[in-house]
Amino acid sequence: MRFLLIVLLLFLGLPSFLHSQTLLLNKEFGLGSPYSEPDGRNDIVRISDSDFITLAKVKGNQTGKSEFSLERYTNELNSIWKVSLNVEAYEDYKDLYYNGKDLVLLSVIHNESEKKTRMEAYGFDISNGSRTWTKELEAYEVGEWEMHPHKGKVKETFLDVVCEHANHNYVTPFEYKHNVHFSPDNKKIVSYVFNYGEKYLSASVSVYDNKCNLLSRGKVGIDNDFINNGIYVDNQGLIYLLNVNNFGKVNFIRYSLDTKDFEIIELPASNHQKEDFHISFQDDGIYIANLELSQEKLTGVKYTKCNFTQKSIDMIVYEELTDEMKNAIAKERKKNKSLKGEENWMDYDLTHFIVNPDKSVMMALEKRDLYAEGYPHIKKDAFDKSHNVEILGHVQAEGIILFSFNKNGDKQWSSYLAKNQVYPANDGLNTISFVLDNSPQDHIRILYASTEGMDAAPHTINMVSFDRNSGKIIKNIVLPNQDKLVLVKDYTLFLDESNIVLVGKKGLMGKSSSIAKFKL
């Protein structure tokens, strides 16, 4: 099935309430299935300054086989090549990246009848899209679930919560999940699978180069009464674990899979619950960000700079959500008629943690909720088999809070953007939430689609620009949207400061789509 691909040119430079638009040409695009997996996979890859590759689901439902289209485009949206990929029900594409030579697609094959899971890598020639190699990276037995009160656990993300309540055959079951993170220079990959069938929780961990050659492998344990919040890899191939207990204590562990040597930096405990850890490797240390909660309600944001060379904590920055800021947010919420009820300060996610080259910091939070009839509030917790309950629910994404700090950790500003997006949970965050671009020198911009109500057709695609020095909104622009598209989040590419490529689906769980290029 082929669908209309629209290229638009939008000239801005006038005040935000004035703009002109020009339709340049029509193309076709094949995002044909309304059921795009809600697990946050990467579906668009920049190959060079002049072209990019997309992976689009053409056919397929929540169960059964699927067909994908792998296609390379120029920045002018001319197709260079297109190939079809057929996927069995037991296989799920995990990630897509370019290593400088080959396009690499990581894929998880889970065999529930034999209790086995494995991850394979497929290499594609970027000149014509042909598959040139296949590698089996790792394979593991999946044991029967075993739990005792003090056994280590694994923290859920919001997308994990969405996937747990989707159709069982729609996404990879969490016991079979291969978690993947890239090193800062994107030359190394860490993959880890948690072993839930053992008396004590452990993870089978592998480190590869970006050509999928194995560099090191081993098992690491998660201590009793701790919850793992992620395993990461640095440019040297050392791995890092973030383990948190219920008393606010954080163990940040550096570990060598080759020598088994490890070091621990303990982050100071507090009375607050800690959520949504993000990590950023920098030349002056490792920055760790998280949200601080009290009784599940947001109280503030924090980031910490650690130094394993000195075995020290060099900086702790905690910014409380003050009454003044709460009042300002409440005022902005009331201006948006689609937001109902008072703010309860629950269900915020730390979506972005950006350490700029000058070591200034920006953090973005979005209020996200999954709900259904009989399930008024579903919170993030630690993984548990009892959470796997299929529901016909909705995902709601509300306001965005931005924080900006200078290199010394002093808050420069905070800002808030009121919005309300509601969509069927089967789509996850694919067509709601927002895309943030931090590349312009003097501003930060956010792109999102909005609707008039639950399950309603989208009516606007909005681009909001914040002044980088003050945090004030300097532009709030409605982009052309004659076809009533809802933005497909993973298919947004900021080519440079002035050019954006995005894909949108038509209507509720739409089966047709358009791709557009905007000149800003």
Side-chain angles (χ1 to χ4, degrees):
M1 187 178 295
R2 299 175 66 85
F3 303 107
L4 179 65
L5 181 153
I6 301 176
V7 184
L8 300 168
L9 182 62
L10 177 65
F11 294 98
L12 305 176
L14 297 172
S16 59
F17 55 89
L18 294 175
H19 60 265
S20 61
Q21 59 194 40
T22 304
L23 178 65
L24 294 181
L25 54 92
N26 292 337
K27 294 277 186 177
E28 292 183 336
F29 190 71
L31 187 63
S33 172
Y35 298 102
S36 298
E37 282 76 357
D39 52 12
R41 67 186 60 183
N42 183 34
D43 290 326
I44 186 167
V45 175
R46 197 90 162 92
I47 297 298
S48 71
D49 291 338
S50 60
D51 63 301
F52 57 94
I53 291 176
T54 62
L55 178 66
K57 190 174 183 179
V58 178
K59 296 178 182 178
N61 298 312
Q62 295 183 60
T63 60
K65 298 181 180 180
S66 298
E67 181 184 342
F68 287 79
S69 177
L70 191 67
E71 190 163 5
R72 184 174 177 181
Y73 286 98
T74 69
N75 285 353
E76 301 308 316
L77 306 184
N78 297 313
S79 179
I80 300 175
W81 50 255
K82 180 178 181 179
V83 297
S84 294
L85 306 175
N86 293 306
V87 184
E88 297 292 338
Y90 50 76
E91 182 173 9
D92 295 305
Y93 290 149
K94 178 68 182 176
D95 214 333
L96 184 72
Y97 70 92
Y98 177 54
N99 65 14
K101 179 184 177 183
D102 300 317
L103 181 74
V104 181
L105 178 59
L106 301 179
S107 189
V108 174
I109 296 93
H110 57 280
N111 188 327
E112 294 184 70
S113 62
E114 296 183 5
K115 296 288 185 180
K116 293 180 180 178
T117 184
R118 74 178 190 270
M119 187 166 72
E120 294 186 347
Y122 309 133
F124 296 87
D125 186 336
I126 64 167
S127 66
N128 56 24
S130 62
R131 186 189 297 190
T132 55
W133 53 265
T134 299
K135 292 183 181 181
E136 181 178 299
L137 301 184
E138 56 200 37
Y140 301 108
E141 301 281 343
V142 177
E144 292 294 332
W145 177 270
E146 182 177 332
M147 179 54 72
H148 60 78
H150 298 285
K151 183 176 179 179
K153 299 178 181 179
V154 179
K155 186 66 178 179
E156 299 168 334
T157 66
F158 180 75
L159 286 175
D160 291 329
V161 174
V162 172
C163 291
E164 285 177 327
H165 293 87
N167 183 287
H168 179 72
N169 296 312
Y170 191 24
V171 294
T172 306
F174 71 87
E175 307 104 303
Y176 295 78
K177 183 180 177 182
H178 296 244
N179 303 274
V180 172
H181 289 128
F182 289 78
S183 62
D185 61 6
N186 291 315
K187 293 182 179 179
K188 292 182 175 62
I189 306 166
V190 61
S191 170
Y192 54 100
V193 176
F194 287 102
N195 309 307
Y196 295 99
E198 300 175 342
K199 183 178 181 180
Y200 301 102
L201 183 65
S202 67
S204 297
V205 184
S206 302
V207 176
Y208 307 90
D209 64 23
N210 61 10
K211 297 178 177 60
C212 297
N213 299 308
L214 180 66
L215 302 178
S216 57
R217 174 169 290 162
K219 291 182 72 171
V220 297
I222 309 301
D223 291 339
N224 282 352
D225 294 315
F226 276 84
I227 301 174
N228 179 262
N229 282 255
I231 301 177
Y232 306 87
V233 64
D234 66 11
N235 293 341
Q236 288 70 48
L238 297 173
I239 65 168
Y240 295 77
L241 295 84
L242 268 170
N243 295 335
V244 185
N245 69 12
N246 291 327
F247 303 101
K249 179 181 178 181
V250 181
N251 284 346
F252 188 38
I253 304 167
R254 182 167 72 176
Y255 183 76
S256 170
L257 291 171
D258 294 325
T259 67
K260 308 299 188 281
D261 293 333
F262 68 92
E263 299 168 280
I264 300 177
I265 292 180
E266 294 186 5
L267 278 62
S270 70
N271 294 327
H272 290 153
Q273 178 187 356
K274 299 179 181 347
E275 290 267 3
D276 293 330
F277 284 85
H278 288 229
I279 185 170
S280 179
F281 293 93
Q282 298 292 322
D283 53 11
D284 63 337
I286 304 171
Y287 291 68
I288 303 170
N290 66 278
L291 301 185
E292 299 276 313
L293 310 179
S294 177
Q295 297 180 334
E296 299 182 24
K297 296 185 178 182
L298 180 69
T299 61
V301 296
K302 178 183 284 186
Y303 69 90
T304 307
K305 185 172 77 169
C306 302
N307 189 322
F308 273 98
T309 302
Q310 304 295 329
K311 296 183 177 58
S312 63
I313 296 175
D314 297 341
M315 180 185 293
I316 298 176
V317 176
Y318 173 63
E319 182 62 33
E320 185 178 8
L321 196 62
T322 63
D323 289 339
E324 180 182 2
M325 188 173 181
K326 288 182 178 180
N327 292 334
I329 289 174
K331 185 177 179 180
E332 289 300 313
R333 279 178 59 90
K334 289 179 180 179
K335 293 179 182 179
N336 190 316
K337 295 181 180 179
S338 67
L339 288 168
K340 307 299 182 184
E342 298 295 325
E343 173 64 85
N344 61 10
W345 305 107
M346 299 173 68
D347 302 312
Y348 274 91
D349 264 18
L350 178 58
T351 62
H352 296 77
F353 174 54
I354 300 170
V355 181
N356 295 305
D358 64 355
K359 301 306 183 287
S360 61
V361 166
M362 192 185 70
M363 303 170 76
L365 290 66
E366 182 180 47
K367 187 178 178 71
R368 296 170 171 176
D369 184 29
L370 171 67
Y371 64 91
E373 185 176 353
Y375 297 85
H377 181 239
I378 303 172
K379 68 175 183 177
K380 292 178 293 184
D381 204 336
F383 278 110
D384 190 292
K385 283 189 72 68
S386 65
H387 299 174
N388 284 326
V389 179
E390 183 178 351
I391 61 175
L392 295 175
H394 283 79
V395 168
Q396 183 172 17
E398 292 189 15
I400 301 167
I401 304 175
L402 298 177
F403 289 94
S404 177
F405 302 89
N406 65 21
K407 64 179 182 179
N408 299 317
D410 302 317
K411 190 181 82 169
Q412 296 178 298
W413 52 261
S414 59
S415 192
Y416 177 75
L417 175 63
K419 66 177 181 64
N420 186 39
Q421 303 161 288
V422 185
Y423 222 62
N426 288 333
D427 206 45
L429 296 173
N430 288 329
T431 48
I432 60 174
S433 189
F434 68 100
V435 180
L436 185 148
D437 178 32
N438 187 53
S439 62
Q441 291 186 349
D442 59 351
H443 65 279
I444 300 152
R445 52 189 176 180
I446 284 176
L447 194 69
Y448 69 98
S450 59
T451 62
E452 294 179 345
M454 183 185 297
D455 298 345
H459 63 93
T460 59
I461 296 178
N462 310 273
M463 194 189 78
V464 182
S465 296
F466 298 81
D467 181 82
R468 188 175 289 277
N469 294 319
S470 67
K472 293 181 179 179
I473 294 177
I474 53 178
K475 282 184 180 180
N476 192 343
I477 299 167
V478 177
L479 302 185
N481 193 21
Q482 298 95 324
D483 292 330
K484 303 299 182 184
L485 302 179
V486 63
L487 181 67
V488 180
K489 178 170 170 279
D490 286 344
Y491 285 89
T492 302
L493 191 66
F494 293 90
L495 301 177
D496 52 43
E497 190 169 334
S498 301
N499 293 276
I500 298 175
V501 169
L502 61 85
V503 170
K505 290 196 295 189
K506 296 183 181 179
L508 177 64
M509 300 293 286
K511 291 185 178 181
S512 59
S513 57
S514 297
I515 189 168
K517 180 180 178 182
F518 295 91
K519 178 72 174 179
L520 303 179

